[in-house]
């Protein structure tokens, strides 16, 4: 019986398998990496807010502590969005006639809270609690970045699970003293994970890695 | 070999096999083809996984989902917001109600009389309490009252009405419960800080205000050896950085 295909077709057939695998694998890689890009995670994208509130001005220029407004960050799961009264503590006198603050004054008159746009939105199946992080030495800027340099706030992190695990696998590298918790300029000193961080982990009684990375720590 | 011959060979061959054979082989081929096809589709499955799914947004009500924190409805008392020491002696100088007071009228002018009363601390003041008071002061009070309590904070420099300095003789003589009272009810341009400070923290801040007052009129001879040493060591650069101490938001 004569050959249907030329002998060279064998190579081509084998090659097509390899190329097919490469294309499929490359496609997979592309999708995975694509999901990590800010295009998907929306990291570094400033969100429009109903009021042109600038963290850069209030934190960076005025030096107001994060906890002046986010009062519950040390005691509750959420850091808390300040009630309009907190704005009016100062803005009853400062920029009291500014049209930019009309939404704040309207909220003050009517008692309806301002509807801010959420920037950091974790999926609901991930349990997160601000207070445990803040009380155990994870500072604001570790996750939120230099908020004192953000006119409109964006998220610095992908909020992907791999991002959470970075720290949960090696918490020592980011731990700081309580006095530095809201310090925006804090950076870990050299060899922090081995020296100062390790000491702080002991002081804060940080759980071992297998507990920190256990599924039910975050998915409960 | 011509095309016609080819097809003839093929048909001859197929005739030699049973129908079942053909079907199974065909079936195997198509199954393989399907598997490969499915494998190629895998990336797209991951693509669709990138979208937000139902599990990301559970049908539940979350904190701040409808916007910022709400004001306390009238006539309600938040948990933990009750006065720690309701029997604390009330200060005699009545705090002015929070209103759009006429500008230029300072607190000293509205309450010129000496403020009398007892300190009324609900707990014994310790180092831990003062530390907590310091941290709360630096969060909630420092923007206006300044790091030294002289009433020259950053917000004042931005145009807010200047509060009286804690180092005024009138406020030095005032009982600690007066400061608690002002934090609770507000005074002049300052609004109530019950939202930001729990009753316990308000007392602790009051204790820290006492520290600030002492810090500006402390007698060196009464200090401990350690502090004396620190002062002599810092004496030379201190004169240079004194202006820096007053600097806004210095932390």
């Amino acid at each position: 019986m004569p050959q249907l295909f030329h002998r060279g077709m064998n190579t081509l057939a084998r090659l097509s398998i390899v190329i097919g695998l490469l294309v499929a694998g490359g496609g997979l890689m592309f999708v995975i990496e694509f999901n990590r890009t800010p295009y998907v995670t929306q990291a570094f994208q400033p969100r429009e807010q109903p009021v042109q509130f600038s963290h850069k001005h209030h934190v960076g220029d005025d030096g107001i502590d994060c906890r002046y407004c986010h009062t519950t960050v040390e005691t509750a799961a959420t850091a808390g969005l300040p009630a309009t009264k907190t704005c009016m503590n100062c803005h009853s006198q400062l920029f009291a006639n500014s049209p930019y603050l009309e939404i704040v004054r309207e909220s003050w008159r009517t008692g309806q809270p301002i509807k801010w746009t959420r920037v950091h939105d974790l999926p609901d199946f991930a349990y997160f609690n601000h207070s445990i992080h803040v009380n155990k030495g994870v500072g604001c800027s570790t996750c939120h970045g230099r908020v004192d340099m953000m006119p409109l706030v964006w998220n610095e992190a992908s909020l992907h699970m791999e991002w959470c695990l970075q720290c949960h696998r090696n918490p020592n590298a980011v731990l700081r003293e309580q006095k530095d918790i809201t310090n925006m300029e804090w950076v870990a000193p050299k060899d922090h994970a081995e020296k100062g961080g390790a000491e702080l982990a002991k002081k804060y009684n940080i759980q071992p890695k297998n507990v920190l990375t256990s599924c039910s720590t975050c998915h409960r | 070999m011509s095309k016609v011959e080819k097809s003839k060979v093929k048909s001859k061959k197929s005739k030699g096999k049973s129908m079942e054979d053909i079907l199974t082989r065909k079936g195997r081929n198509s199954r393989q083809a399907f598997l490969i096809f499915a494998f190629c589709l895998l990336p797209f499955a991951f693509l669709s996984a990138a979208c937000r799914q139902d599990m990301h947004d559970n049908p539940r009500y979350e904190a701040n989902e409808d916007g910022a924190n709400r004001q306390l409805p009238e006539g309600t008392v938040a948990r933990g917001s009750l006065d720690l020491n309701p029997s604390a002696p009330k200060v005699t100088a009545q705090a002015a109600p929070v209103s759009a007071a006429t500008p230029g009228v300072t607190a000293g002018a509205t309450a010129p009389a000496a403020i009398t009363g007892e300190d009324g601390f609900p707990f014994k003041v310790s180092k831990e309490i003062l530390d907590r008071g310091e941290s709360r002061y630096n969060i909630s009070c420092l923007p206006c009252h300044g790091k030294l309590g002289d009433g020259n904070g950053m917000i004042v420099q931005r145009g807010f009405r200047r509060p009286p300095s804690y180092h005024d003789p009138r406020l030095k003589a005032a009982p600690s419960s007066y400061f608690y009272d002002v934090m609770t009810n507000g005074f002049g341009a300052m609004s109530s800080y019950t939202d930001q400070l729990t009753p316990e923290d308000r007392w602790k801040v009051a204790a820290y205000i006492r520290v600030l007052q002492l810090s500006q009129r402390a007698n060196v001879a009464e200090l401990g050896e350690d502090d004396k040493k620190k002062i002599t060591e810092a004496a030379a650069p201190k004169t240079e950085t004194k202006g820096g101490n007053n600097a806004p938001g210095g932390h």
Side-chain angles (χ1 to χ4, degrees), chain A residues 29-166:
Chain A
M29 279 299 290
F30 171 78
V31 169
I32 290 169
E33 287 303 321
F34 181 70
N35 280 343
R36 285 172 173 152
T37 59
Y39 182 78
V40 175
T41 64
Q42 290 200 302
F44 308 109
Q45 285 182 19
R47 310 293 203 285
E48 288 290 328
Q49 298 288 353
V51 185
Q52 290 189 13
F53 178 85
S54 165
H55 275 84
K56 181 175 183 291
H57 175 68
H58 288 82
V59 183
D61 302 347
D62 292 345
I64 299 174
D65 193 282
C66 311
R67 294 165 289 185
Y68 186 92
C69 301
H70 303 292
T71 47
T72 57
V73 74
E74 290 172 313
T75 49
T78 55
L81 283 169
T84 306
K85 182 187 161 293
T86 309
C87 310
M88 295 307 279
N89 280 350
C90 296
H91 289 293
S92 59
Q93 291 202 10
L94 299 178
F95 298 100
N97 298 316
S98 166
Y100 291 115
L101 295 177
E102 179 50 31
I103 291 175
V104 178
R105 288 192 297 271
E106 191 197 338
S107 160
W108 182 237
R109 283 195 299 271
T110 59
Q112 288 297 314
I114 301 169
K115 291 199 173 184
W116 300 97
T117 310
R118 185 174 279 271
V119 178
H120 295 79
D121 192 9
L122 277 180
D124 287 357
F125 47 76
Y127 173 85
F128 179 79
N129 190 314
H130 271 94
S131 67
I132 188 74
H133 289 85
V134 169
N135 286 316
K136 298 253 175 183
V138 183
C140 308
S141 62
T142 298
C143 301
H144 293 287
R146 292 296 300 269
V147 178
D148 62 330
M149 292 179 171
M150 301 178 187
L152 281 173
V153 167
W154 59 82
N155 51 337
E156 286 272 305
S158 66
L159 300 183
H160 280 168
M161 183 169 144
E162 63 178 1
W163 171 77
C164 301
L165 284 173
Q166 268 177 17

Side-chain angles (χ1 to χ4, degrees), chain A residues 1-4 20-21 24-25 27-28 31-32 34-35 40 57 61-65 67-69 71-72 74 78 80-86 88-94 108 111-116 118 121-126, chain B residues 1 6 9-10 13 39-40 42-44 46-47 49-50 52 55-60 62-71 132 135-136 138-144 154-155 158-161 189 191-196 249 251:
Chain A
M1 192 191 95
Q3 290 286 333
L4 282 182
L21 280 174
L28 257 176
V31 169
I32 290 169
F34 181 70
N35 280 343
V40 175
H57 175 68
D61 302 347
D62 292 345
I64 299 174
D65 193 282
R67 294 165 289 185
Y68 186 92
C69 301
T71 47
T72 57
E74 290 172 313
T78 55
L81 283 169
T84 306
K85 182 187 161 293
T86 309
M88 295 307 279
N89 280 350
C90 296
H91 289 293
S92 59
Q93 291 202 10
L94 299 178
W108 182 237
Q112 288 297 314
I114 301 169
K115 291 199 173 184
W116 300 97
R118 185 174 279 271
D121 192 9
L122 277 180
D124 287 357
F125 47 76
Chain B
M1 191 163 35
K6 245 187 192 172
V9 171
K10 239 187 175 176
K13 201 186 170 192
F39 188 71
C40 293
L42 248 181
F44 297 98
F46 279 88
L47 250 185
R52 300 287 278 185
M55 290 295 283
H56 282 78
D57 296 306
N58 288 348
R60 70 178 186 205
E62 284 176 19
N64 297 130
E65 203 166 279
D66 260 2
N69 291 359
R70 280 158 186 267
Q71 301 296 335
R132 171 77 183 174
S135 90
R136 296 305 108 174
N138 287 343
I139 292 167
S140 298
C141 318
L142 181 140
C144 288
M154 194 62 196
I155 303 305
R158 296 264 191 239
F160 202 86
R161 197 199 311 167
S191 56
S192 156
Y193 271 69
T194 45
D195 284 4
Q196 274 129 302
H251 68 274

